[in-house]
Amino acid sequence: MASSSELQLLDSLPPLTGQARIAALTKLTGVDVQDNDGSDKAVVIVSIVSLAITFVLIVYVWLNRNYRPIRARAVTLCTLMHISSIIWVVGDFQMNGIVRIKGGWKECRIWVVWVRILFSYIYSSLLTLRFFALDRIFNRGKPYSGKAVYVPIAFLFVLFLAYCLTCQLVPEHDISVYVKYFQICQVNDTFRYASIGLMWVPWTISLVLAYFVRNIQSSFNERYETMLILALAYMILIKTTVIHATHPYYIFEKSYRHAETLVDAICTSMVVWVMLVHPVYQSIFHRKEYEKQWIRKLRLEGQADKYTTEAILESTAHHTAFSELEDGEFDHKDPFDTIRMLSQNSKTLTTNFITQPPNSYRPPNVNFENVDVLESDLSLDSNDQQYPRRII
């Protein structure tokens, strides 16, 4: 890496071009320098297509945000993550040498610090907040609101903003500087490794929180989604760490600069898909049926209070056992679901059941007198002597 005095000398020389530039860089770095060509354009196209497809998913989610299973999936958080990933990948194009460094791309410090580095931090921090919310809601049984939301955000924001401001205030050659002689952005090694080390902070916090939420008991796949999201996140982190540590001149080698860019673009998009694809798929192909099933599961598992932070469900006593859907219809195909829901929500219904006529809790078109309940149908499960066993 050239020193500040060497950089001043190089700036006084006319820039190299063509094969002379390639030969000089090969001699300087000791690697077989591979200049930009059509394969780099293909990487840009694949990255843009990946992000564009995810953008379509985000648009669909916002257009259908009143569909309750979608609304429960932190739509705003997913949107902010996708915006961050788009900016992050654009920064990759410049930092990884996918595009030729000319014109506006010459502003190396802006692109590296305020685009590539900052928004990779923002993306990872948003994902960490998701794990924090799952731990607080499902493990600690506390609402995710007030200081619980703003304190972690403020901590991470101050940490990363302070780092980026420091990078802006120190001399340019200590961060990233444009070398006109070679037409490249030179990145300072100390800055490179400090940035990667800081990137491990939110990912390590996410790993710890994921361990805490590993035993979430829910039918809505939070446990498995968390494991998959964490695997994708660490694929990005480990890839970046290994490439920068073992191949500091990776931008001159096609395979490494392509891998560094494509893994970021594809994996950041896949994380958003993991969080949203299941309710989106169900809303397209089984919209009403899945929403009924979703609400029934929510109440049978006693998880309704866990999701009220998203304002998913009504909280009145009359809606505890039965939920009227958008089309005004009730789901009563299995009368024993009604019995189970009434049993498992007995704490909120007991007082009203005593003081109000039973008919006030009967939905339309259900004749309870015609339901023949056998003693065997209400047999108790050996693992839980409180609730009727599910009738298949």
Side-chain angles (χ1 to χ4, degrees):
M1 184 180 65
S3 64
S4 58
S5 58
E6 291 172 334
L7 288 173
Q8 291 177 355
L9 176 61
L10 291 175
D11 281 343
S12 64
L13 300 175
L16 295 174
T17 58
Q19 289 301 316
R21 173 178 173 271
I22 300 298
L25 286 171
T26 299
K27 184 177 180 179
L28 177 67
T29 62
V31 302
D32 182 16
V33 175
Q34 299 167 308
D35 203 7
N36 298 88
D37 57 18
S39 63
D40 293 280
K41 294 180 181 178
V43 169
V44 173
I45 293 172
V46 171
S47 300
I48 292 175
V49 168
S50 174
L51 295 169
I53 293 173
T54 307
F55 179 76
V56 172
L57 174 71
I58 294 293
V59 171
Y60 178 88
V61 163
W62 277 101
L63 293 176
N64 292 269
R65 63 188 179 277
N66 291 327
Y67 184 63
R68 280 172 281 194
I70 288 180
R71 194 175 9 171
R73 291 306 182 102
V75 174
T76 302
L77 179 69
C78 292
T79 304
L80 292 175
M81 287 175 61
H82 186 54
I83 293 173
S84 299
S85 69
I86 292 174
I87 301 174
W88 172 356
V89 172
V90 172
D92 269 345
F93 294 159
Q94 196 274 356
M95 183 176 178
N96 296 339
I98 299 297
V99 295
R100 293 186 181 276
I101 307 302
K102 57 184 180 180
W105 296 110
K106 294 180 182 179
E107 302 296 330
C108 300
R109 179 156 55 178
I110 292 176
W111 284 106
V112 173
V113 175
W114 295 104
V115 179
R116 169 60 172 83
I117 299 297
L118 178 60
F119 280 91
S120 67
Y121 290 163
I122 291 174
Y123 182 95
S124 58
S125 298
L126 291 171
L127 199 53
T128 301
L129 291 176
R130 180 182 186 272
F131 292 138
F132 178 75
L134 290 175
D135 175 62
R136 183 174 178 84
I137 294 171
F138 285 95
N139 287 342
R140 304 184 188 184
K142 297 179 181 179
Y144 188 60
S145 58
K147 292 182 179 179
V149 178
Y150 298 114
V151 170
I153 292 176
F155 169 75
L156 293 172
F157 177 79
V158 170
L159 175 64
F160 296 135
L161 183 60
Y163 178 74
C164 291
L165 285 173
T166 301
C167 293
Q168 186 65 36
L169 295 175
V170 301
E172 190 175 27
H173 68 267
D174 289 334
I175 304 299
S176 182
V177 62
Y178 178 70
V179 183
K180 185 179 68 173
Y181 185 66
F182 294 115
Q183 297 122 66
I184 62 171
C185 282
Q186 175 181 284
V187 177
N188 182 280
D189 286 341
T190 301
F191 164 73
R192 182 203 307 270
Y193 299 127
S195 300
I196 294 174
L198 190 58
M199 188 181 294
W200 277 84
V201 172
W203 293 129
T204 302
I205 296 173
S206 295
L207 182 63
V208 173
L209 292 172
Y211 177 80
F212 288 150
V213 302
R214 70 191 187 283
N215 292 323
I216 286 180
Q217 297 299 322
S218 172
S219 295
F220 302 108
N221 302 318
E222 286 90 352
R223 177 184 179 184
Y224 301 105
E225 289 176 5
T226 296
M227 294 171 61
L228 183 53
I229 288 171
L230 200 64
L232 291 168
Y234 267 82
M235 185 183 300
I236 297 172
L237 182 60
I238 293 173
K239 172 269 304 175
T240 298
T241 303
V242 170
I243 288 180
H244 281 265
T246 61
H247 295 79
Y249 299 113
Y250 74 94
I251 64 171
F252 300 123
E253 301 178 79
K254 287 182 185 179
S255 58
Y256 292 108
R257 69 174 180 251
H258 292 175
E260 175 73 356
T261 305
L262 288 174
V263 171
D264 288 348
I266 295 173
C267 286
T268 54
S269 293
M270 286 180 65
V271 167
V272 176
W273 276 89
V274 169
M275 295 173 66
L276 296 175
V277 68
H278 182 68
V280 167
Y281 172 84
Q282 296 293 350
S283 72
I284 296 173
F285 297 103
H286 311 100
R287 189 175 184 88
K288 294 180 180 179
E289 296 86 347
Y290 178 72
E291 187 176 37
K292 294 174 184 179
Q293 179 190 38
W294 186 86
I295 293 172
R296 186 187 301 116
K297 279 186 177 182
L298 201 66
R299 291 199 169 100
L300 289 177
E301 293 184 356
Q303 299 286 350
D305 60 320
K306 302 291 195 302
Y307 289 84
T308 52
T309 54
E310 295 286 345
I312 306 163
L313 302 170
E314 298 285 338
S315 59
T316 60
H318 288 277
H319 285 76
T320 303
F322 309 105
S323 178
E324 191 169 2
L325 305 181
E326 294 173 357
D327 57 359
E329 297 178 355
F330 291 86
D331 182 23
H332 305 296
K333 295 179 181 179
D334 183 358
F336 295 107
D337 276 346
T338 300
I339 297 172
R340 285 191 296 275
M341 286 188 287
L342 290 174
S343 299
Q344 294 186 358
N345 290 277
S346 58
K347 292 183 180 179
T348 58
L349 289 175
T350 299
T351 303
N352 291 329
F353 234 45
I354 293 174
T355 58
Q356 298 183 28
N359 288 336
S360 64
Y361 287 89
R362 297 180 182 179
N365 303 322
V366 176
N367 186 350
F368 281 86
E369 286 75 10
N370 294 333
V371 177
D372 186 13
V373 181
L374 302 178
E375 183 178 353
S376 60
D377 291 331
L378 295 177
S379 59
L380 298 178
D381 188 273
S382 59
N383 295 324
D384 190 346
Q385 297 297 318
Q386 185 178 1
Y387 304 128
R389 185 176 60 194
R390 181 170 182 83
I391 309 299
I392 303 300

